[in-house]
PDB file of all heavy atoms in Angstrom:
ATOM      1  N   ARG A 555      -5.369 -12.864  -4.679  1.00  0.00           N
ATOM      2  CA  ARG A 555      -6.200 -11.585  -4.670  1.00  0.00           C
ATOM      3  C   ARG A 555      -5.251 -10.376  -4.697  1.00  0.00           C
ATOM      4  O   ARG A 555      -4.301 -10.357  -3.818  1.00  0.00           O
ATOM      5  CB  ARG A 555      -7.024 -11.543  -3.402  1.00  0.00           C
ATOM      6  CG  ARG A 555      -8.062 -10.454  -3.283  1.00  0.00           C
ATOM      7  CD  ARG A 555      -9.028 -10.725  -2.247  1.00  0.00           C
ATOM      8  NE  ARG A 555     -10.012  -9.635  -2.153  1.00  0.00           N
ATOM      9  CZ  ARG A 555     -10.039  -8.707  -1.225  1.00  0.00           C
ATOM     10  NH1 ARG A 555      -9.115  -8.736  -0.248  1.00  0.00           N
ATOM     11  NH2 ARG A 555     -10.936  -7.725  -1.217  1.00  0.00           N
ATOM     12  N   PRO A 556      -5.440  -9.449  -5.625  1.00  0.00           N
ATOM     13  CA  PRO A 556      -4.548  -8.335  -5.673  1.00  0.00           C
ATOM     14  C   PRO A 556      -4.569  -7.516  -4.322  1.00  0.00           C
ATOM     15  O   PRO A 556      -5.671  -7.335  -3.721  1.00  0.00           O
ATOM     16  CB  PRO A 556      -5.036  -7.506  -6.813  1.00  0.00           C
ATOM     17  CG  PRO A 556      -5.782  -8.416  -7.626  1.00  0.00           C
ATOM     18  CD  PRO A 556      -6.427  -9.375  -6.675  1.00  0.00           C
ATOM     19  N   ALA A 557      -3.402  -6.991  -3.900  1.00  0.00           N
ATOM     20  CA  ALA A 557      -3.358  -6.220  -2.678  1.00  0.00           C
ATOM     21  C   ALA A 557      -4.036  -4.868  -2.954  1.00  0.00           C
ATOM     22  O   ALA A 557      -3.929  -4.340  -4.042  1.00  0.00           O
ATOM     23  CB  ALA A 557      -1.952  -6.106  -2.204  1.00  0.00           C
ATOM     24  N   PRO A 558      -4.606  -4.283  -1.962  1.00  0.00           N
ATOM     25  CA  PRO A 558      -5.203  -2.974  -2.090  1.00  0.00           C
ATOM     26  C   PRO A 558      -4.093  -1.921  -2.310  1.00  0.00           C
ATOM     27  O   PRO A 558      -2.983  -2.108  -1.851  1.00  0.00           O
ATOM     28  CB  PRO A 558      -5.937  -2.703  -0.789  1.00  0.00           C
ATOM     29  CG  PRO A 558      -5.262  -3.623   0.247  1.00  0.00           C
ATOM     30  CD  PRO A 558      -4.848  -4.806  -0.565  1.00  0.00           C
ATOM     31  N   PRO A 559      -4.394  -0.812  -3.034  1.00  0.00           N
ATOM     32  CA  PRO A 559      -3.320   0.216  -3.240  1.00  0.00           C
ATOM     33  C   PRO A 559      -2.899   0.775  -1.854  1.00  0.00           C
ATOM     34  O   PRO A 559      -3.720   1.034  -1.004  1.00  0.00           O
ATOM     35  CB  PRO A 559      -4.101   1.222  -4.065  1.00  0.00           C
ATOM     36  CG  PRO A 559      -5.527   0.949  -3.865  1.00  0.00           C
ATOM     37  CD  PRO A 559      -5.666  -0.527  -3.597  1.00  0.00           C
ATOM     38  N   ALA A 560      -1.552   0.990  -1.809  1.00  0.00           N
ATOM     39  CA  ALA A 560      -1.007   1.573  -0.623  1.00  0.00           C
ATOM     40  C   ALA A 560      -1.431   3.071  -0.476  1.00  0.00           C
ATOM     41  O   ALA A 560      -1.445   3.781  -1.431  1.00  0.00           O
ATOM     42  CB  ALA A 560       0.507   1.420  -0.602  1.00  0.00           C
ATOM     43  N   SER A 561      -1.702   3.494   0.755  1.00  0.00           N
ATOM     44  CA  SER A 561      -2.062   4.915   1.019  1.00  0.00           C
ATOM     45  C   SER A 561      -0.805   5.660   1.303  1.00  0.00           C
ATOM     46  O   SER A 561       0.109   5.213   1.989  1.00  0.00           O
ATOM     47  CB  SER A 561      -3.043   4.991   2.215  1.00  0.00           C
ATOM     48  OG  SER A 561      -3.195   6.220   2.541  1.00  0.00           O
ATOM     49  N   THR A 562      -0.676   6.831   0.745  1.00  0.00           N
ATOM     50  CA  THR A 562       0.491   7.688   0.814  1.00  0.00           C
ATOM     51  C   THR A 562       0.315   8.768   1.838  1.00  0.00           C
ATOM     52  O   THR A 562       1.183   9.493   2.203  1.00  0.00           O
ATOM     53  CB  THR A 562       0.835   8.364  -0.470  1.00  0.00           C
ATOM     54  OG1 THR A 562      -0.308   9.161  -0.885  1.00  0.00           O
ATOM     55  CG2 THR A 562       1.162   7.330  -1.537  1.00  0.00           C
ATOM     56  N   GLY A 563      -0.887   8.905   2.443  1.00  0.00           N
ATOM     57  CA  GLY A 563      -1.179   9.927   3.396  1.00  0.00           C
ATOM     58  C   GLY A 563      -1.784  11.128   2.821  1.00  0.00           C
ATOM     59  O   GLY A 563      -2.578  11.852   3.434  1.00  0.00           O
ATOM     60  N   ASP A 564      -1.374  11.552   1.590  1.00  0.00           N
ATOM     61  CA  ASP A 564      -1.994  12.666   0.834  1.00  0.00           C
ATOM     62  C   ASP A 564      -2.630  12.032  -0.409  1.00  0.00           C
ATOM     63  O   ASP A 564      -2.110  12.152  -1.523  1.00  0.00           O
ATOM     64  CB  ASP A 564      -1.025  13.742   0.459  1.00  0.00           C
ATOM     65  CG  ASP A 564       0.270  13.145  -0.148  1.00  0.00           C
ATOM     66  OD1 ASP A 564       0.394  11.865  -0.135  1.00  0.00           O
ATOM     67  OD2 ASP A 564       1.128  13.968  -0.586  1.00  0.00           O
ATOM     68  N   ASP A 565      -3.735  11.419  -0.233  1.00  0.00           N
ATOM     69  CA  ASP A 565      -4.390  10.559  -1.239  1.00  0.00           C
ATOM     70  C   ASP A 565      -4.664  11.289  -2.543  1.00  0.00           C
ATOM     71  O   ASP A 565      -4.543  10.801  -3.578  1.00  0.00           O
ATOM     72  CB  ASP A 565      -5.661   9.895  -0.647  1.00  0.00           C
ATOM     73  CG  ASP A 565      -5.277   8.942   0.472  1.00  0.00           C
ATOM     74  OD1 ASP A 565      -4.167   8.567   0.540  1.00  0.00           O
ATOM     75  OD2 ASP A 565      -6.248   8.626   1.330  1.00  0.00           O
ATOM     76  N   ASP A 566      -5.248  12.463  -2.289  1.00  0.00           N
ATOM     77  CA  ASP A 566      -5.658  13.224  -3.507  1.00  0.00           C
ATOM     78  C   ASP A 566      -4.475  13.475  -4.492  1.00  0.00           C
ATOM     79  O   ASP A 566      -4.541  13.269  -5.651  1.00  0.00           O
ATOM     80  CB  ASP A 566      -6.371  14.542  -3.160  1.00  0.00           C
ATOM     81  CG  ASP A 566      -7.648  14.254  -2.400  1.00  0.00           C
ATOM     82  OD1 ASP A 566      -8.135  13.186  -2.458  1.00  0.00           O
ATOM     83  OD2 ASP A 566      -8.058  15.163  -1.649  1.00  0.00           O
ATOM     84  N   GLU A 567      -3.419  13.963  -3.789  1.00  0.00           N
ATOM     85  CA  GLU A 567      -2.231  14.273  -4.665  1.00  0.00           C
ATOM     86  C   GLU A 567      -1.620  13.077  -5.289  1.00  0.00           C
ATOM     87  O   GLU A 567      -1.296  13.005  -6.469  1.00  0.00           O
ATOM     88  CB  GLU A 567      -1.165  15.049  -3.797  1.00  0.00           C
ATOM     89  CG  GLU A 567       0.002  15.403  -4.602  1.00  0.00           C
ATOM     90  CD  GLU A 567       1.009  16.190  -3.704  1.00  0.00           C
ATOM     91  OE1 GLU A 567       0.640  16.461  -2.584  1.00  0.00           O
ATOM     92  OE2 GLU A 567       2.114  16.428  -4.225  1.00  0.00           O
ATOM     93  N   GLY A 568      -1.447  11.950  -4.472  1.00  0.00           N
ATOM     94  CA  GLY A 568      -0.872  10.713  -4.932  1.00  0.00           C
ATOM     95  C   GLY A 568      -1.743  10.100  -6.023  1.00  0.00           C
ATOM     96  O   GLY A 568      -1.255   9.637  -6.988  1.00  0.00           O
ATOM     97  N   ALA A 569      -3.087  10.254  -5.887  1.00  0.00           N
ATOM     98  CA  ALA A 569      -3.937   9.615  -6.829  1.00  0.00           C
ATOM     99  C   ALA A 569      -3.846  10.437  -8.165  1.00  0.00           C
ATOM    100  O   ALA A 569      -3.886   9.812  -9.287  1.00  0.00           O
ATOM    101  CB  ALA A 569      -5.357   9.622  -6.392  1.00  0.00           C
ATOM    102  N   SER A 570      -3.732  11.677  -8.171  1.00  0.00           N
ATOM    103  CA  SER A 570      -3.656  12.445  -9.362  1.00  0.00           C
ATOM    104  C   SER A 570      -2.347  12.233 -10.104  1.00  0.00           C
ATOM    105  O   SER A 570      -2.314  12.289 -11.315  1.00  0.00           O
ATOM    106  CB  SER A 570      -3.783  13.955  -9.042  1.00  0.00           C
ATOM    107  OG  SER A 570      -2.621  14.361  -8.187  1.00  0.00           O
ATOM    108  N   GLU A 571      -1.268  11.798  -9.415  1.00  0.00           N
ATOM    109  CA  GLU A 571      -0.030  11.554 -10.012  1.00  0.00           C
ATOM    110  C   GLU A 571       0.062  10.224 -10.655  1.00  0.00           C
ATOM    111  O   GLU A 571       0.787   9.992 -11.636  1.00  0.00           O
ATOM    112  CB  GLU A 571       1.090  11.651  -9.033  1.00  0.00           C
ATOM    113  CG  GLU A 571       1.359  13.207  -8.575  1.00  0.00           C
ATOM    114  CD  GLU A 571       2.401  13.298  -7.569  1.00  0.00           C
ATOM    115  OE1 GLU A 571       2.923  12.257  -7.078  1.00  0.00           O
ATOM    116  OE2 GLU A 571       2.723  14.406  -7.195  1.00  0.00           O
ATOM    117  N   ALA A 572      -0.701   9.215 -10.068  1.00  0.00           N
ATOM    118  CA  ALA A 572      -0.614   7.891 -10.582  1.00  0.00           C
ATOM    119  C   ALA A 572      -1.417   7.789 -11.856  1.00  0.00           C
ATOM    120  O   ALA A 572      -2.474   8.338 -12.006  1.00  0.00           O
ATOM    121  CB  ALA A 572      -1.169   6.921  -9.599  1.00  0.00           C
TER     122      ALA A 572
END
Side-chain angles (χ1 to χ4, degrees):
R555 186 165 182 257
S561 173
T562 59
D564 47 355
D565 296 341
D566 294 341
E567 182 179 352
S570 63
E571 290 177 354

